[in-house]
Amino acid sequence: PPTEPETSLLPPPVIVVSTHDTVCVESATPHSFLYMAVKTNMLYDAILVPNLGVEFYVGKNWSIAVNWMYARWKCDHRHNYWRTYGGDIEIRRWFGKKAKEKPLTGHHFGLYGQMLTYDFELRGRGYMSSNWNYASGISYGYSHPISRRLNIDFTIGVGYLKGKYKEYIPIDQCYVWQTSKQRRWFGPTKAEVSLVWLIRSDNHNLKKGGRR
């Protein structure tokens, strides 16, 4: 008797294996925005500039980070001013062994843009931005797990900063303008030692040896 009806009932083995592998890969791939982190740059905290940032993992080893800082300290009778506010947005590409094991962990390269304004004066000559100052550049960093929910992120950025600022001297409760200058700077424009808090129940670091 002919054997074609019998063989036609059996699916080709290659198709079965291919389908099974595809399902396994998709189930192991993290979904976008399931991984999120809130962070603060401890370098800014150390110089009394409160700041806060959020970072979203958008899939395929890419993430978007947004940071903002704000400080408005003053002491008029001493002519002390410590004011600044601004922020940055950064697109990051994660790579390396740690990044494959867990999103928002390991090495990363980034492209960022910044904007800020400031007024600094400590009992002497003061420096105040005329308007917004802008910067852009590239960054490299590494995010290292320190506990189940916390990472430390070390980042350095090099780029170009441009903006105008004024120099002044406080005299008899007045602020006497001295000169205006144009700032053009190429070099380090970004530095982070950030404490990172991982958000969501399934977004945590695994212990050595894997989950049991």
Side-chain angles (χ1 to χ4, degrees):
T3 58
E4 292 183 0
E6 296 179 1
T7 57
S8 62
L9 297 177
L10 299 176
V14 176
I15 296 178
V16 174
V17 175
S18 176
T19 303
H20 177 70
D21 290 346
T22 301
V23 172
C24 291
V25 172
E26 291 180 352
S27 63
T29 302
H31 297 285
S32 299
F33 294 101
L34 284 180
Y35 293 91
M36 174 185 172
V38 176
K39 56 185 178 178
T40 181
N41 188 347
M42 295 184 290
L43 296 180
Y44 289 172
D45 295 332
I47 59 174
L48 303 180
V49 179
N51 66 98
L52 189 67
V54 292
E55 186 166 3
F56 299 95
Y57 180 77
V58 296
K60 297 183 179 180
N61 293 329
W62 290 92
S63 68
I64 298 176
V66 180
N67 304 292
W68 186 260
M69 61 179 178
Y70 184 90
R72 192 172 180 84
W73 314 117
K74 67 177 181 178
C75 188
D76 290 335
H77 66 282
R78 294 183 180 179
H79 298 294
N80 288 337
Y81 286 81
W82 192 258
R83 299 173 176 176
T84 183
Y85 59 91
D88 68 82
I89 182 170
E90 181 177 3
I91 300 175
R92 289 180 171 180
R93 169 69 176 180
W94 298 80
F95 65 97
K97 180 180 178 181
K98 292 295 184 180
K100 293 180 180 179
E101 295 176 352
K102 170 72 175 57
L104 305 181
T105 304
H107 300 274
H108 56 81
F109 279 117
L111 179 66
Y112 64 89
Q114 297 173 315
M115 57 185 296
L116 75 155
T117 182
Y118 57 87
D119 182 2
F120 297 125
E121 185 266 310
L122 299 175
R123 300 185 185 182
R125 184 175 293 265
Y127 303 88
M128 179 177 63
S129 60
S130 299
N131 208 327
W132 289 100
N133 286 203
Y134 298 93
S136 62
I138 58 175
S139 67
Y140 166 76
Y142 184 82
S143 185
H144 179 68
I146 59 174
S147 70
R148 180 178 173 85
R149 291 286 183 184
L150 297 177
N151 285 6
I152 295 289
D153 192 308
F154 303 90
T155 302
I156 186 71
V158 177
Y160 180 73
L161 173 68
K162 182 179 180 180
K164 295 181 180 180
Y165 70 97
K166 299 177 181 179
E167 295 184 6
Y168 65 88
I169 297 177
I171 301 177
D172 297 331
Q173 300 298 323
C174 297
Y175 303 94
V176 182
W177 169 78
Q178 300 296 303
T179 183
S180 296
K181 295 182 179 180
Q182 181 78 36
R183 185 184 301 277
R184 294 183 178 89
W185 162 261
F186 180 79
T189 60
K190 182 182 179 72
E192 288 186 26
V193 180
S194 295
L195 182 64
V196 182
W197 178 35
L198 304 176
I199 305 296
R200 293 187 65 93
S201 60
D202 57 347
N203 184 17
H204 57 80
N205 298 312
L206 301 179
K207 296 181 179 180
K208 294 183 179 180
R211 184 186 299 174
R212 295 184 177 180

